[in-house]
Amino acid sequence: MFLVVVLILGGLAFAGMHYVSGCKSGSGPHEPVAVTIPQGASSGDVVDILHNAGVMRCGGLIGKFLLRNDDRAGRILAGSYDLKTNMTVAQILAVITVRPHHDPTVTMDIPIGFRLTQIAQRVQEHLHIPAKAFLKVVDSGKLSLAPFFSKGTKNPEGFFYPHNYSFDAKQLPTAQQVAEAMLDEFRRGTADLPWKNARTLGMTRYQIVIIASMIERETGLATDRPKVAAVIYNRLKDNMALGIDATLLYDDPTPGDGTLTAKDLQSDSPYNTRIHKGLPPTPIASPYVDAIRAALQPAHADYLYYVKCDKDGPGKSRFASTYAEFLHDKSVCLGT
């Protein structure tokens, strides 16, 4: 019986390997075929499009595995391509990761850490969609991005992913299409993150993005992001106010100057994390994948404080576990 089982398993393994090998090959007729990859298409969508057109021999899970196993898979570009049936994955990616010359596009770069009002201005500048019209769609409550937020959410701040977007120059997108493309890019860009950690940390996925947005605004250094995350989680655990002024700047009582006065710091805004404990109501910016990863994988440290310390290097911060340590670091770094 054992021998029979071994033979069966061996046969299945051989058959599986033979099937995958066939999927990798480019054997068969090579007929010209035009393929269009829409803006915001996921890797699964791309596999389905290619397989249905006969370009990729295998679809489904195996097709996705073969596509994602190539480093270039993350650089697939939307557009119309002239391909052939029965191409190898390497041959396919050599084409669809290079912008097709015959497909004129308009590009729009959304920098890391932008907030919705800034994104709306970029949309107006590059796509000629009035900023107010874009924000009206965004705030309509008609957008959704499960499992992060559902329809009815009036302020989906934080989920308009930083990315270099391309759109068809001959037929510019609507405000709705632009918003949906950005939400789709968020899903794609963060798909491989350890989201299961959110439950362990006692957070929803939406709250993780709130934390990530604060990390994004507080530091741009890879070494400091997990430490800032540790401070946030430790303060929440100890029922301390977060005291992150970037949250109040998001809802600045005196907007326009980019600073906070002593009076501003007394504001009763729910974004004033000096006086209101817990997280702010929404994200305060669009975080990139690195900040979200830090929110999901904070440093294992008992830090409760940090202070900017350019003496240690541009953008660096010093972290402390006690208030006395913090005061010392503040004196050294800021001279106060």
Side-chain angles (χ1 to χ4, degrees):
M1 180 65 73
F2 175 77
L3 181 60
V4 171
V5 171
V6 170
L7 289 172
I8 291 173
L9 292 176
L12 290 174
F14 176 81
M17 292 174 62
H18 181 71
Y19 181 75
V20 172
S21 177
C23 291
K24 290 182 178 179
S25 75
S27 60
H30 300 295
E31 301 294 335
V33 59
V35 171
T36 298
I37 297 175
Q39 183 70 40
S42 66
S43 58
D45 295 333
V46 173
V47 168
D48 290 341
I49 292 169
L50 295 171
H51 180 58
N52 292 336
V55 175
M56 197 170 183
R57 291 176 64 87
C58 297
L61 293 176
I62 292 179
K64 293 177 185 178
F65 170 78
L66 293 175
L67 188 71
R68 291 175 178 173
N69 203 37
D70 192 302
D71 292 337
R72 293 172 295 175
R75 303 198 296 271
I76 294 173
L77 300 171
S80 297
Y81 298 90
D82 295 322
L83 300 172
K84 294 182 179 180
T85 56
N86 298 305
M87 296 175 72
T88 66
V89 171
Q91 291 171 337
I92 295 168
L93 289 172
V95 177
I96 66 175
T97 55
V98 178
R99 180 69 57 202
H101 296 295
H102 59 276
D103 187 13
T105 59
V106 174
T107 61
M108 177 182 67
D109 180 52
I110 301 300
I112 296 171
F114 259 34
R115 54 188 293 180
L116 273 172
T117 51
Q118 294 172 304
I119 292 172
Q121 192 61 39
R122 280 291 175 103
V123 170
Q124 177 172 296
E125 293 169 359
H126 292 270
L127 303 177
H128 308 296
I129 298 172
K132 288 184 178 180
F134 179 74
L135 290 174
K136 183 177 180 180
V137 168
V138 167
D139 295 333
S140 68
K142 296 180 180 179
L143 299 175
S144 64
L145 184 65
F148 299 96
F149 67 88
S150 57
K151 286 187 177 181
T153 301
K154 294 294 186 180
N155 183 2
E157 182 78 79
F159 296 92
F160 292 80
Y161 199 63
H163 184 66
N164 188 21
Y165 294 89
S166 296
F167 299 95
D168 187 345
K170 294 181 179 179
Q171 187 175 358
L172 290 177
T174 64
Q176 180 82 17
Q177 290 170 330
V178 174
E180 290 177 349
M182 291 183 179
L183 296 180
D184 288 341
E185 192 60 41
F186 180 94
R187 190 189 303 280
R188 287 180 55 185
T190 65
D192 295 331
L193 291 178
W195 287 106
K196 63 181 184 298
N197 291 4
R199 179 173 294 183
T200 303
L201 292 164
M203 297 290 162
T204 65
R205 293 192 181 196
Y206 185 82
Q207 290 172 320
I208 289 292
V209 177
I210 293 177
I211 293 170
S213 72
M214 291 188 288
I215 296 170
E216 194 68 80
R217 297 301 299 169
E218 289 295 285
T219 182
L221 297 182
T223 55
D224 285 354
R225 291 189 194 104
K227 297 176 184 178
V228 172
V231 171
I232 292 172
Y233 284 112
N234 290 336
R235 281 182 165 250
L236 290 173
K237 181 180 178 182
D238 290 353
N239 198 31
M240 296 174 63
L242 295 179
I244 295 177
D245 289 343
T247 61
L248 183 55
L249 276 171
Y250 177 77
D251 188 33
D252 191 351
T254 53
D257 57 4
T259 61
L260 295 172
T261 65
K263 184 177 180 181
D264 291 339
L265 295 177
Q266 300 303 313
S267 167
D268 194 41
S269 165
Y271 289 89
N272 188 350
T273 54
R274 286 197 179 205
I275 64 175
H276 293 293
K277 295 178 181 179
L279 298 175
T282 69
I284 59 172
S286 292
Y288 193 53
V289 62
D290 299 325
I292 303 174
R293 181 179 288 108
L296 289 164
Q297 297 176 317
H300 296 290
D302 57 359
Y303 299 133
L304 289 170
Y305 308 91
Y306 60 90
V307 61
K308 292 289 184 183
C309 197
D310 288 333
K311 291 183 178 181
D312 294 343
K316 287 284 291 180
S317 296
R318 285 195 184 185
F319 295 82
S321 302
T322 67
Y323 189 61
E325 289 178 281
F326 167 69
L327 290 178
H328 175 266
D329 290 343
K330 186 178 178 183
S331 175
V332 171
C333 298
L334 304 180
T336 57

